Amino acid sequence: MKAKAPALPRTVRRALGPHVLIRGDTLRVLRRMEAQSVDVVVTSPPYNLGLAYTSYRDRRTEDDYLDWMTEIGGEIARVMKPGGSFFLNIAGSSSQPWLPFELMVRLRTVFALQNHITWVKSIAIDDVTHGHFKPVNSHRFVNRNHEHVFHLTHQGDVRLARIAAGVPFTDKSNIVRRGHAQDRRCRGDTWFIPYETVQAKRQKFDHPGTFPVALPQACLALHGAGPGSVVLDPFMGTGTTLLAAELIGAHGIGIDCDLGYVRTACERLSAVIARE
Ligand SMILES: C[S@@+](CC[C@H](N)C(=O)[O-])C[C@H]1O[C@@H](n2cnc3c(N)ncnc32)[C@H](O)[C@@H]1O
């Protein structure tokens, strides 16, 4: 007899300042959202690695995972405004090295791949290492120090705030020599964003796969999001993207199937709102 699928959690909504946090299945929630209502989507879905999430079982067959994510991609395209951006953070693994690329091939029917950013979590420059990484104990594989951030848009023609989100010139003589109006250049497609050092699991909010707030901040800055922008994270986890939205006065919408993570997201967001 076929095993009965576990009941999906009931959808629960909580408003917090200009934000809405939703406990529910992302596909179901997305299907009910208004078309063309979101400016920027920043998210990191489960990577199908078998991570120990509290309620989600992170181990589907590869085809099932790709079908599921493609369906979610289609819904994201529907809710995204014509000039919107979708920043999709994902990584491969030694056991599934093709997965991010397979997913991009699937999403090709739905989106244009406008930029491909490499998020560097740790790097060795000469003999000095910066940032932290999980060491891989292997004769075959090197440590994985990076993840992908795919910047997907409807047509590949979204105008970005590349200079505003950029960095100052190191060699200031470039400013006059090249006729730049200001001391800023595009940051490029390689972002070094290390994790903060933590001593205990609690400081990572008892969640196995968070990203640092600087990552969604960089995505929102590149898109040029600001006060009043609508920012969606359909796999909100502990609410990191919503924190980044709050810090620029945007409206965040976060969805996660796990009630505990939604509670954590509410606590983190309340603390940021209270500090401001
Ligand atoms: C990689 S984590 C996101 C972490 C987040 N970026 C953060 O910084 O906390 C992926 C999240 O997706 C959630 N998730 C998995 N399947 C889901 C589904 N069907 N609907 C909603 N959320 C889901 C998991 O509970 C997990 O918190």
Side-chain angles (χ1 to χ4, degrees), residues 52-245:
Y53 294 108
T54 311
S55 47
Y56 174 71
R57 212 176 145 264
D58 189 30
R59 188 69 86 192
R60 296 169 181 250
T61 64
E62 200 163 308
D63 274 344
D64 183 29
Y65 177 82
L66 291 170
D67 289 347
W68 178 58
M69 282 301 299
T70 307
E71 216 176 334
I72 288 172
E75 284 303 316
I76 289 174
R78 191 185 63 77
V79 301
M80 210 165 87
K81 291 181 185 173
S85 285
F86 172 19
F87 293 91
L88 174 59
N89 162 226
I90 191 165
S93 66
S94 311
S95 60
Q96 295 178 122
W98 293 106
L99 195 75
F101 308 106
E102 301 261 16
L103 179 58
M104 280 309 108
V105 171
R106 296 273 195 113
L107 292 183
R108 203 176 165 167
T109 55
V110 188
F111 292 106
L113 178 56
Q114 188 166 326
N115 289 284
H116 177 191
I117 293 147
T118 301
W119 167 26
V120 176
K121 300 185 285 185
S122 157
I123 191 164
I125 301 176
D126 298 327
D127 281 343
V128 181
T129 57
H130 306 264
H132 304 271
F133 59 88
K134 258 193 217 142
V136 168
N137 190 10
S138 164
H139 297 295
R140 290 191 293 156
F141 303 117
V142 294
N143 292 329
R144 279 182 176 263
N145 298 357
H146 78 282
E147 298 198 4
H148 308 279
V149 179
F150 295 108
H151 174 222
L152 302 157
T153 59
H154 287 294
Q155 306 288 342
D157 58 359
V158 172
R159 197 183 170 93
L160 300 173
R162 48 197 294 271
I163 303 301
V167 291
F169 284 97
T170 302
D171 176 358
K172 305 292 182 200
S173 71
N174 269 316
I175 305 167
V176 176
R177 201 154 27 90
R178 307 226 166 157
H180 293 290
Q182 51 183 318
D183 181 12
R184 263 191 121 62
R185 67 167 177 84
C186 174
R187 190 180 181 191
D189 62 4
T190 312
W191 297 355
F192 173 57
I193 302 178
Y195 277 101
E196 302 100 41
T197 306
V198 293
Q199 312 296 343
K201 234 174 106 187
R202 200 170 15 90
Q203 289 172 277
K204 281 206 152 185
F205 316 104
D206 289 317
H207 188 289
T210 60
F211 49 39
V213 70
L215 186 73
Q217 278 182 309
C219 298
L220 296 181
L222 182 60
H223 179 82
S229 298
V230 178
V231 174
L232 166 70
D233 187 341
F235 295 101
M236 160 181 70
T238 60
T240 315
T241 300
L242 268 59
L243 262 55

Side-chain angles (χ1 to χ4, degrees), residues 253-276:
I253 304 169
I255 311 164
D256 203 285
C257 59
D258 188 275
L259 187 57
Y261 297 153
V262 176
R263 280 200 184 117
T264 303
C266 284
E267 283 163 17
R268 290 183 77 197
L269 197 52
S270 302
V272 171
I273 293 171
R275 268 206 306 272
E276 283 174 338

